Amino acid sequence: MNETVTQAYKLAKERYTAIGVDTEKAIEALKKVKLSLHCWQGDDVLGYLFPDQTLTGGISVSGNYPGRARSVDELQKDLSKALSVIPGKHKVQLHSIYADTDEKVDLNELEPRHFQSWVDWAKEQGVGLDMNGTFFSHPKSASGFTLASADKEIRDFWIEVGKSSRKIAEYFGKELGQQSVNNFWIPDGYKDNPIDKLSPRLRLIDSLDEIMKEKIPEAYTIEAVEGKLFGTGVESYTVGSHEFYEAYALTRGKLWTIDAGHFHPTEDVSDKFSAFLPFGKGLMLHVSRPVRWDSDHVVILDDALIRITRSLVRDNELDKTNIGLDFFDATINRLAAWIVGARDTLKALLMAFLSPIDDLKKAELEGDYTKRLALTEELKSYPFGAVWDYYCQESDVPVGAEWLEEIRRYEKDVLINR
């Protein structure tokens, strides 16, 4: 037990108590949050089903830092190491291309048994698994269209991929005893102006409805649909736009996925939560950091992240929100990217919990905007870091930057030898 950390926490606790904030209660609230770490940060979104397939769908990963996970076993070991220095119990997001099998199978032929090793690993780690059907990096997505394709044969193939992902997610939910979120994102669209904007969207509705036709208990899995403003190569028209998927989620009782990088750079995605949730079943977040738009940089503790977590906490939206990470950076140690992004997301949540929310809402209701502004500004310099360090110490994970030395040793002993 580090006495310096403990003493700093005691002093911070006194400061927060003076403004009506219970630090112990904040820590307990944070313990209940499950982040969903994205496995694709560990191998640059390549997967292991088609090792020679070029990355497509407008997705691009920069850098060639040593140590990319070359197999499911290596990826699982890297995830285990990263999770060991992140406080709390969390989940991991998979994609279809991360199936663990020696069989030669296509995306539409995948079954739960091809993910057996992932379930075994998740049980050992005490984590949950979320799912994403892979609708890119495949010959049948070369036209730029999948579920919205005008070619019925192509469309039918991807419908089967979607159905397969649902059965795999159901398997995760049954085996691990916690709901698996199955996220749908497709790259369909046009680089230049189309004549017919309606027909692709009607085809997408029909495809999604066919995929979702079988009723699966939501205790095991629930679907989320993810829109995008535009993507590389489909700058003029995206079939699965935000408005499309928001409407689909509302009318079909699905989750709406909000990716922080998929909107216009001046939009604040946190403003969308309270507008959607009074009507919708819930949200799936892909927390990313856009730099000049959807560039999927490692999440840092910036204003955008703070606004996201603050909105979720202040409006009691966490129970209806799944928080996943989504970024990929191969210019730095890939485990460090996971750890920085996850720990910063948890820090931002803690900052939100360490706030006299009821008192601030009361001041706002009474029209005391002076107090609202003054107190929220003073909170920015309150010692939340001391509470975070104490939470890490109590969770038996490294305090401060101590985790970096541990990852450096792992890099030297494991990653550099790949």
Side-chain angles (χ1 to χ4, degrees):
M1 188 68 68
N2 188 317
E3 285 301 322
T4 301
V5 170
T6 303
Q7 187 61 34
Y9 171 70
K10 288 179 179 177
L11 294 173
K13 184 176 181 178
E14 291 177 6
R15 292 283 311 279
Y16 280 109
T17 299
I19 59 170
V21 174
D22 186 334
T23 56
E24 297 293 333
K25 186 177 179 180
I27 289 173
E28 288 304 311
L30 187 60
K31 286 180 180 179
K32 296 176 183 178
V33 176
K34 286 180 178 287
L35 302 183
S36 192
L37 271 68
H38 54 309
C39 76
W40 48 92
Q41 163 60 38
D43 81 318
D44 306 341
V45 207
L46 295 174
Y48 307 109
L49 205 56
F50 313 114
D52 301 320
Q53 174 65 47
T54 303
L55 188 62
T56 67
I59 300 168
S60 178
V61 180
S62 302
N64 192 29
Y65 199 91
R68 181 182 70 82
R70 302 162 300 177
S71 66
V72 170
D73 181 63
E74 288 184 352
L75 184 58
Q76 289 172 352
K77 288 177 179 175
D78 290 352
L79 279 163
S80 296
K81 188 62 181 177
L83 287 164
S84 73
V85 298
I86 299 169
K89 283 296 181 182
H90 302 289
K91 302 172 81 176
V92 169
Q93 300 176 69
L94 300 180
H95 250 281
S96 301
I97 51 176
Y98 291 89
D100 187 11
T101 178
D102 293 327
E103 299 177 43
K104 190 173 182 180
V105 293
D106 210 339
L107 290 172
N108 64 327
E109 301 168 322
L110 288 172
E111 299 176 10
R113 61 190 176 87
H114 297 123
F115 290 82
Q116 177 66 53
S117 76
W118 280 108
V119 168
D120 293 342
W121 172 82
K123 288 179 178 178
E124 292 173 2
Q125 296 294 314
V127 300
L129 292 175
D130 289 327
M131 183 61 186
N132 296 260
T134 303
F135 291 86
F136 53 85
S137 297
H138 190 279
K140 282 187 166 57
S141 66
S143 69
F145 280 84
T146 61
L147 292 177
S149 173
D151 185 331
K152 187 176 184 304
E153 184 179 340
I154 295 293
R155 201 162 64 247
D156 287 346
F157 173 85
W158 291 110
I159 287 172
E160 291 305 312
V161 173
K163 289 181 177 180
S164 166
S165 73
R166 293 186 78 218
K167 299 308 291 184
I168 293 164
E170 179 188 23
Y171 167 63
F172 292 162
K174 284 182 177 179
E175 289 292 316
L176 300 174
Q178 52 185 301
Q179 187 186 64
S180 175
V181 178
N182 185 16
N183 188 59
F184 283 79
W185 172 79
I186 64 171
D188 299 31
Y190 286 111
K191 182 176 179 64
D192 214 333
N193 297 320
I195 304 301
D196 184 357
K197 293 185 176 181
L198 178 61
S199 295
R201 287 176 172 149
L202 293 176
R203 289 193 291 267
L204 179 52
I205 292 171
D206 288 343
S207 295
L208 290 170
D209 284 349
E210 177 61 27
I211 290 170
M212 314 290 185
K213 188 165 61 176
E214 181 183 349
K215 301 298 181 186
I216 299 177
E218 289 185 1
Y220 302 138
T221 184
I222 188 170
E223 293 77 28
V225 287
E226 178 180 0
K228 199 167 188 176
L229 183 60
F230 70 89
T232 304
V234 289
E235 292 87 355
S236 296
Y237 171 75
T238 297
V239 182
S241 65
H242 299 304
E243 295 82 0
F244 176 92
Y245 280 127
E246 182 180 19
Y248 191 87
L250 286 169
T251 57
R252 302 310 194 266
K254 305 301 179 183
L255 305 182
W256 183 32
T257 300
I258 292 181
D259 186 305
H262 285 188
F263 292 81
H264 190 279
T266 61
E267 286 188 269
D268 185 347
V269 299
S270 67
D271 283 342
K272 303 179 186 302
F273 307 159
S274 60
F276 175 79
L277 286 174
F279 308 98
K281 181 177 283 287
L283 291 171
M284 175 70 193
L285 300 187
H286 276 186
V287 183
S288 182
R289 177 167 57 104
V291 176
R292 307 294 189 271
W293 198 61
D294 187 32
S295 47
D296 288 297
H297 285 64
V298 178
V299 169
I300 61 173
L301 192 59
D302 60 3
D303 287 344
L305 178 63
I306 291 170
R307 287 194 299 269
I308 286 172
T309 55
R310 196 166 54 195
S311 292
L312 295 175
V313 172
R314 286 179 175 177
D315 290 329
N316 292 315
E317 294 165 340
L318 282 171
D319 287 345
K320 296 181 68 176
T321 305
N322 302 272
I323 306 175
L325 304 183
D326 185 11
F327 50 79
F328 24 90
D329 189 346
T331 67
I332 63 175
N333 182 297
R334 293 172 181 83
L335 279 76
W338 267 322
I339 296 161
V340 168
R343 285 174 65 112
D344 277 355
T345 302
L346 292 170
K347 287 177 187 176
L349 282 161
L350 180 61
M351 289 178 72
F353 288 129
L354 290 169
S355 177
I357 297 172
D358 291 340
D359 192 26
L360 287 168
K361 286 183 177 180
K362 181 175 181 290
E364 182 172 87
L365 193 62
E366 294 174 349
D368 190 350
Y369 305 140
T370 304
K371 179 178 180 179
R372 182 183 66 180
L373 176 62
L375 188 50
T376 53
E377 286 303 300
E378 289 300 324
L379 279 169
K380 292 178 180 178
S381 59
Y382 265 62
F384 95 92
V387 183
W388 167 256
D389 288 345
Y390 180 76
Y391 173 53
C392 288
Q393 180 172 271
E394 291 294 294
S395 301
D396 199 26
V397 302
V399 173
E402 292 174 4
W403 64 265
L404 185 56
E405 289 306 310
E406 196 168 325
I407 296 305
R408 289 293 190 204
R409 287 193 295 271
Y410 185 80
E411 179 179 300
K412 181 180 178 181
D413 296 341
V414 178
L415 301 182
I416 207 70
N417 296 314
R418 291 178 178 170

